[in-house]
């Protein structure tokens, strides 16, 4: 946070021209209609062709098989359901969705949906959660080690979420596309593209994870205990970049949360603070489409910036969370993308976060349909974060 405060001045300068309803040629989008009909499609085209790549449509044969179900999860608090969600008839491509649904419910409940890093079993102490399957593990990065149960349990406050009346669903991101540069041979690119040659606009791995989130939403639309019109998509870090892109491309998501999403997520690229495009594209060449690499070291030449990704979520509620020690993700830049997107929320008649003073640590701010906080501490997801997400979601999804 010390750094954060020091950077306010820089942030002000860097963000002065970043207003999402202004086009690069200086024209201002003045109406909701103009945003929806002209500018949003134009930006969508830009983000697809220059950053995430062009995602395909639905899966050829999406179908669900319940692998396990029990109403006694967490001492009877919830029903646990584990689902094999297959994308093709042969069931070669699938993810395993872990769902908890609160037992104390009157009708269909709202839900949180997010991918996880280390497998469903690593999100909880619940001993009934299935371990990753051998056929899936064979596609993961060479040398991949299965983590013990509950390794990332602190990131998934299931009991807290369930007690507040939400269902929660998660899957391991590697199931959709393994997180290493495998030339797009493992994972859903193969299924959806076959042998089609790749080009600069071909979809990459973040786009594939976002596609997976949308397929889970297709499934949630068939689950009677869940209100699929009230699903919040959430993600941490690289999966926070993913939740923002899922929220932009799939307007069925009712609310979007990014946690510590940083570079190429919520953080304004032009600030070049913490991780830069050159670094992210070098270390993770499979995350974005090839055209994105042409902006390495040329952030100021980008015909968009990340506040416009946030604006694509408008008018749906959006929450951006940061952590005070997470300089790599640039908390100031993450905050300023909200400020930059507020003008678009305004076009829809909603207030947004416009204060150019970065909020203090652990002083959550909610204005209109935007929410923000900086948690004290490291790059992670903690109970404090979930408390803010749930209270934000309560305003819109209850
Ligand atoms: C790396 C990467 C970040 C990413 C993070 C994560 O630190 O540089 O861009 O957000 O991993 O996903 O944990």
């Amino acid at each position: 946070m010390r750094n954060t405060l020091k950077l306010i001045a820089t942030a002000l300068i860097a963000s002065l021209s970043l207003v999402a309803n202004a086009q690069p040629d200086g024209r201002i989008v003045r109406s909701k209609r103009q945003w929806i009909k002209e500018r949003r499609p134009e930006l969508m085209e830009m983000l697809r062709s220059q950053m995430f790549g062009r995602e395909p449509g639905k899966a050829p044969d999406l179908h669900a098989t319940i692998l396990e179900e029990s109403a006694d999860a967490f001492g009877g608090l919830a029903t646990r359901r584990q689902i094999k969600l297959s994308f093709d008839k042969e069931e070669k491509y699938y993810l395993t969705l872990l769902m908890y649904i609160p037992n104390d419910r009157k009708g269909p409940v709202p839900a949180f949906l997010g991918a996880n890093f280390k497998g469903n079993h690593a999100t909880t102490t619940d001993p009934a959660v299935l371990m990753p399957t051998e056929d899936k593990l064979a596609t993961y990065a060479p040398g991949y080690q299965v983590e013990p149960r509950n390794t990332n349990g602190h990131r998934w406050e299931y009991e807290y979420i369930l007690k507040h009346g939400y269902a929660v669903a998660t899957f391991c991101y590697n199931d959709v596309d393994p997180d290493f540069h495998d030339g797009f041979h493992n994972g859903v690119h193969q299924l959806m593209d076959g042998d089609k040659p790749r080009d600069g606009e071909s979809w990459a791995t973040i786009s594939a994870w976002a596609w997976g989130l949308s397929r889970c939403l297709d499934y949630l639309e068939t689950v009677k205990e869940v209100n699929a019109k009230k699903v919040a998509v959430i993600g941490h870090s690289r999966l926070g970049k993913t939740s923002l892109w899922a929220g932009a491309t799939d307007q069925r998501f009712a609310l979007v949360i990014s946690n510590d999403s940083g570079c190429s997520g919520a953080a304004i690229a032009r600030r070049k603070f913490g991780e830069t495009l050159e670094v992210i594209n070098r270390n993770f060449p499979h995350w974005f489409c090839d055209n994105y690499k042409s902006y390495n070291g040329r952030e100021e030449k980008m015909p968009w910036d990340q506040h416009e990704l946030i604006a694509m979520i408008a008018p749906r509620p959006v929450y951006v969370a940061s952590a005070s020690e997470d300089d790599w993700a640039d908390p100031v830049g993450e905050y300023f993308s909200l400020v930059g997107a507020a003008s678009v929320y305004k076009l829809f008649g909603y207030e947004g976060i416009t204060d150019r003073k970065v909020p203090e640590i652990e002083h959550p701010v909610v204005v209109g349909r935007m929410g923000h906080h900086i948690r004290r501490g490291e790059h992670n997801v903690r109970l404090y974060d979930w408390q803010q997400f749930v209270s934000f979601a309560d305003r819109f999804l209850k």
Side-chain angles (χ1 to χ4, degrees):
M1 192 61 185
R2 276 192 312 280
N3 281 345
T4 306
L5 289 175
K6 266 193 257 149
L7 282 160
I8 293 177
T10 338
L12 284 175
I13 296 158
S15 60
L16 278 182
S17 57
L18 297 178
V19 183
N21 70 333
Q23 296 175 203
D25 61 7
R27 276 179 300 148
I28 305 285
V29 179
R30 298 204 186 275
S31 69
K32 176 170 101 178
R33 188 173 183 283
Q34 197 187 348
W35 172 261
I36 294 171
K37 294 259 173 267
E38 294 169 26
R39 186 58 180 152
R40 190 179 191 281
E42 202 173 288
L43 274 170
M44 186 54 100
E45 170 60 22
M46 188 139 62
L47 290 170
R48 282 198 171 117
S49 65
Q50 304 302 304
M51 187 172 185
F52 295 100
R54 293 184 193 283
E55 77 283 2
K58 298 206 168 215
D61 192 343
L62 188 85
H63 59 279
T65 313
I66 296 180
L67 302 173
E68 189 269 349
E69 177 159 351
S70 156
D72 69 1
F74 305 117
L77 176 64
T79 296
R80 179 189 55 249
R81 189 174 296 158
Q82 301 186 76
I83 303 113
K84 179 174 181 180
L85 188 63
S86 302
F87 305 131
D88 60 329
K89 224 206 255 113
E90 296 74 30
E91 303 193 352
K92 186 170 168 215
Y93 298 90
Y94 66 91
L95 59 81
T96 304
L97 191 69
L98 167 64
M99 261 185 95
Y100 290 107
I101 304 164
N103 286 335
D104 180 12
R105 57 173 194 275
K106 300 220 169 50
V109 291
F112 289 95
L113 168 68
N116 67 69
F117 285 78
K118 296 185 170 172
N120 296 344
H121 70 288
T123 67
T124 175
T125 51
D126 183 346
V129 174
L130 301 168
M131 297 297 286
T133 51
E134 289 302 324
D135 60 325
K136 277 287 164 194
L137 288 172
T139 68
Y140 291 8
Y144 183 91
Q145 296 284 328
V146 178
E147 299 272 353
R149 287 186 183 276
N150 200 33
T151 314
N152 265 345
H154 62 277
R155 289 189 178 172
W156 294 91
E157 289 287 347
Y158 290 141
E159 296 190 45
Y160 181 86
I161 299 165
L162 291 159
K163 282 181 187 152
H164 284 80
Y166 294 85
V168 54
T170 189
F171 62 90
C172 179
Y173 73 150
N174 281 312
D175 279 4
V176 175
D177 195 20
D179 190 6
F180 74 110
H181 197 15
D182 60 7
F184 304 99
H185 291 302
N186 290 336
V188 293
H189 295 97
Q190 275 298 307
L191 169 69
M192 301 306 289
D193 297 349
D195 293 331
K196 200 169 110 202
R198 290 182 61 83
D199 62 26
E201 301 182 354
S202 296
W203 63 318
T205 295
I206 291 203
S207 173
W209 297 331
W211 181 90
L213 287 164
S214 285
R215 303 295 68 82
C216 290
L217 186 53
D218 295 344
Y219 167 68
L220 291 178
E221 286 180 333
T222 70
V223 175
K224 64 179 189 320
E225 297 94 333
V226 167
N227 183 345
K229 294 204 162 52
K230 295 191 170 182
V231 175
V233 64
I234 179 166
H236 167 64
S237 209
R238 66 198 69 181
L239 295 174
K241 310 179 208 302
T242 306
S243 63
L244 292 174
W245 184 233
T249 49
D250 191 337
Q251 298 197 60
R252 294 174 302 167
F253 286 115
L255 188 148
V256 181
I257 301 169
S258 86
N259 190 79
D260 305 355
S261 60
C263 177
S264 309
I268 297 291
R270 276 169 174 70
R271 283 172 43 77
K272 298 195 217 181
F273 185 85
E275 190 172 23
T276 60
L277 261 63
E278 206 205 317
V279 173
I280 204 168
N281 281 325
R282 184 176 60 238
N283 292 339
F284 307 99
H286 56 296
W287 282 1
F288 301 97
C289 76
D290 278 352
N291 286 346
Y292 194 46
K293 297 168 178 98
S294 69
Y295 299 97
N296 287 355
R298 297 173 62 242
E299 281 87 343
E300 57 293 330
K301 294 279 189 311
M302 286 164 62
W304 80 95
D305 212 316
Q306 299 308 108
H307 61 303
E308 286 166 310
L309 173 59
I310 305 284
M312 309 286 276
I313 294 159
R316 292 160 296 152
V318 63
Y319 199 102
V320 171
S322 304
S324 66
E325 292 165 11
D326 191 11
D327 283 348
W328 189 238
D330 187 13
V332 172
E334 293 184 315
Y335 176 72
F336 273 95
S337 66
L338 284 171
V339 175
S343 59
V344 171
Y345 278 78
K346 188 90 188 170
L347 294 176
F348 287 92
Y350 298 107
E351 295 304 311
I353 293 180
T354 52
D355 191 345
R356 286 175 174 265
K357 186 173 173 304
V358 180
E360 291 297 326
I361 303 176
E362 300 196 355
H363 278 79
V365 179
V366 176
V367 184
R369 296 186 153 205
M370 289 184 163
H372 170 269
H373 73 258
I374 303 174
R375 175 181 44 75
R376 186 181 312 284
E378 83 295 6
H379 182 76
N380 216 330
V381 194
R382 296 276 175 197
L383 177 60
Y384 180 86
D385 300 306
W386 276 106
Q387 286 167 336
Q388 314 318 313
F389 302 153
V390 165
S391 110
F392 185 69
D394 281 349
R395 292 172 182 242
F396 305 103
L397 304 184
K398 284 286 178 69

